[in-house]
Amino acid sequence: MRIHHYGWVPAGLVGTLALLLVACGGAESSETLAGGAQTLSAPVTQDRSEAAARPVANSSAKPDAELTARALAQAEVQAEQADPSQPLENLQPDSVASKSAYVSGAVVRKAAAVGIPAYRFYNASTGAHFYTISPSERDTLGSTVASPFSLEGPAFWVASASSPGLSPVHRFFNAQTGVHFYTISEAERAKTVATLPQFTYEGVAYYASQVAGAGLVPFYRFFVPGKGFHFYTASESEKNRIQANQSATYSYEGIGYYVLEGGAEATAAGSDTGSMMPAVNTARIPLGSTGSAVEQARATSETPAPGGGVGAFRTECDFSHMSFDDPIVYPGQAGRSHLHAFFGNTGTNANSTASSIANTGNSTCRGGILNRSAYWVPAMIDTRDGSPVKPQTANFYYKTGYGGVVPSSVQSMPAGLRMIAGDAKNASPGGQYQSMPFGYSCHTNSGTSMEGRSIPNCPTGAELWQTVNFPQCWDGVNLDSPDHKSHMAYPTGRGCPASHPVPLPEITFNIVYMITQTNAASNWRLASDNYSSALPGGYSGHGDWFNGWRPEAMGAFVRGCDQAALDCHSHLLGDGRAIF
């Protein structure tokens, strides 16, 4: 387990780094913190990791955690006594809302407009973790610091500005240890200023909650007496591991405050945000294809083959790009997701909409911009050095004739349809197919082998396929749903269920990775694998699809391939045209 508290920052980089850091470590400058407060300390002029490593002469001189515990208890009482009929908009800044506003999730929903992720880095040279809510700092550390930082992904969320029901979190810098300290307690802030001269108050870092509620998770606080600084985590499992294995070193002080739940698709409903996801070295994110800006189809005399009762259209798409975006799960929230690998529409990002997907962007798929659909999956990460693995290619199937669905009954996907298959929170090989419609396999000239639910250690020269099967029964009304799944359903074996009566082509993703080194895949995990590394990687397999087909092109292969129960291979539209 890697638990350290201070990320070394090269002195030459200090001037470029933003100052909104969480947990411990970082650099000082005169940049503005949340709420407009200015930092007060001088720029770093030495390797702070040395300061963090030194024992502290007077480790008992520390902030008073009991004041924070009292503050949280008093806030809970105030929330219970507050008028639940008072609109959140009428609250005084930084005041406590009614308990019902927290329990209902109203406080968190209000804060979503100013929500911002805290990113977690691992420093391989010191074994430290480093956190920042600054996207520019995240990108700078990941791309220009040659080593030692590896980005592990979004760790948790806070509010970047005042929001009803949330309170300011105060930030101090401890000159003795070179480590930052955070408190939500006004009393602890005042006592620290008055009695601990080694702590320099730097202002409001961000906003969080003193009251528990829906969409909020505890931010746990430890003190390390031997080093004289604090350690923080929003991960329940990390807290439990520290208490079980390192209680002699880490003194648990309780909940410091509550942060916003989320930070990654894999943990949107949990409290272990980013805690066990593989580290990502953003400097090693591979470049993809720039795609085509034109339609790519031509007349052909080749005709589809008999399908044996199954209609099949396929297309091949090159890898486009990787990013920490998910326009379906986190629309408009750049950087909030775990790392994804994208195919198809080259312009896909957090701000993509049905209109932008359908009308803008190049395409890396056969057919060019006849198919601007966006396809994405969690990136594959080589855990040896945090490098994202570049996909060789991807094959996307649009087929029918399975699960009792009659080929002639399928319809074209409606414009703007989007969906997710699989469960990014899954952490085991068991479960219902609807939660685990994915698999992995090895492909060589000798055939297919090592099929299963976890990433196999395919031999050198083989292709490793990551497969995701999507539901094909639509409710006929909704282009999306709150969980991005409920508007779709899998066939029952007798066709589509009555609740989802409209059959569409079944989409299957086959993402292909080349194995070029012996035992390479034994070190691979999905960016969304948020569970113990002692278990095989890949259990969080899932995929996202956003329709961007030209309606006439999709209509052609639905009629000429799927409804006709013919095999159009990976290039025929079924109307006398071939895509290339």
Side-chain angles (χ1 to χ4, degrees), residues 20-42:
L20 295 176
L21 309 180
V22 299
C24 305
E28 280 69 37
S29 74
S30 60
E31 295 187 33
T32 302
L33 295 175
Q38 299 291 323
T39 63
L40 302 175
S41 52

Side-chain angles (χ1 to χ4, degrees), residues 87-355:
L88 287 176
E89 293 79 3
N90 294 347
L91 284 179
Q92 292 296 314
D94 308 333
S95 61
V96 173
S98 69
K99 186 62 178 180
S100 63
Y102 294 98
V103 172
S104 67
V107 168
V108 169
R109 289 193 295 273
K110 198 73 173 176
V114 289
I116 190 168
Y119 298 95
R120 174 167 169 162
F121 285 84
Y122 176 66
N123 185 335
S125 69
T126 64
H129 283 96
F130 176 81
Y131 298 80
T132 178
I133 65 172
S134 165
S136 62
E137 182 171 56
R138 174 202 68 197
D139 296 340
T140 300
L141 286 174
S143 62
T144 64
V145 179
S147 52
F149 292 99
S150 296
L151 179 61
E152 296 184 337
F156 54 88
W157 275 62
V158 291
S160 61
S162 180
S163 183
L166 299 186
S167 302
V169 174
H170 304 286
R171 169 179 159 163
F172 289 83
F173 174 68
N174 184 342
Q176 286 186 349
T177 62
V179 176
H180 286 90
F181 166 70
Y182 293 81
T183 180
I184 203 168
S185 164
E186 289 291 338
E188 188 174 30
R189 181 198 67 79
K191 184 175 180 181
T192 301
V193 169
T195 65
L196 299 175
Q198 70 270 35
F199 284 83
T200 299
Y201 181 55
E202 295 185 337
V204 176
Y206 47 79
Y207 293 79
S209 177
Q210 298 186 70
V211 180
L216 296 164
V217 294
F219 195 58
Y220 302 105
R221 170 172 157 170
F222 290 84
F223 182 65
V224 186
K227 300 293 180 66
F229 53 63
H230 286 81
F231 171 70
Y232 311 86
T233 179
S235 165
E236 178 81 20
S237 62
E238 187 169 49
K239 181 207 67 153
N240 291 341
R241 289 196 301 273
I242 295 172
Q243 290 182 298
N245 302 315
Q246 294 183 278
S247 59
T249 305
Y250 297 81
S251 176
Y252 180 55
E253 294 187 337
I255 296 172
Y257 39 87
Y258 299 88
V259 295
L260 307 182
E261 190 175 64
E265 182 182 17
T267 54
S271 59
D272 293 340
T273 315
S275 61
M276 288 180 282
M277 292 180 185
V280 177
N281 187 336
T282 56
R284 294 178 178 265
I285 290 178
L287 296 177
S289 169
T290 57
S292 171
V294 298
E295 296 181 1
Q296 296 182 178
R298 60 188 172 216
T300 181
S301 59
E302 184 180 359
T303 58
V310 172
F313 168 79
R314 309 168 186 85
T315 188
E316 184 175 6
C317 303
D318 291 333
F319 162 65
S320 171
H321 62 282
M322 291 184 184
S323 75
F324 292 93
D325 291 347
D326 190 324
I328 293 179
V329 178
Y330 297 119
Q333 300 177 62
R336 185 166 184 180
S337 179
H338 52 258
L339 188 66
H340 282 113
F342 291 82
F343 305 81
N345 195 312
T346 59
T348 308
N349 59 41
N351 297 314
S352 293
T353 63
S355 177

Side-chain angles (χ1 to χ4, degrees), residues 6-11 44-52 54 125-126:
Y6 183 76
W8 170 76
V9 180
V44 175
T45 58
Q46 62 177 341
D47 183 348
R48 285 266 191 80
S49 62
E50 296 177 0
R54 290 195 299 266
S125 69
T126 64

Side-chain angles (χ1 to χ4, degrees), residues 401-412:
Y402 308 108
V405 174
V406 178
S408 61
S409 68
V410 299
Q411 301 182 23
S412 291

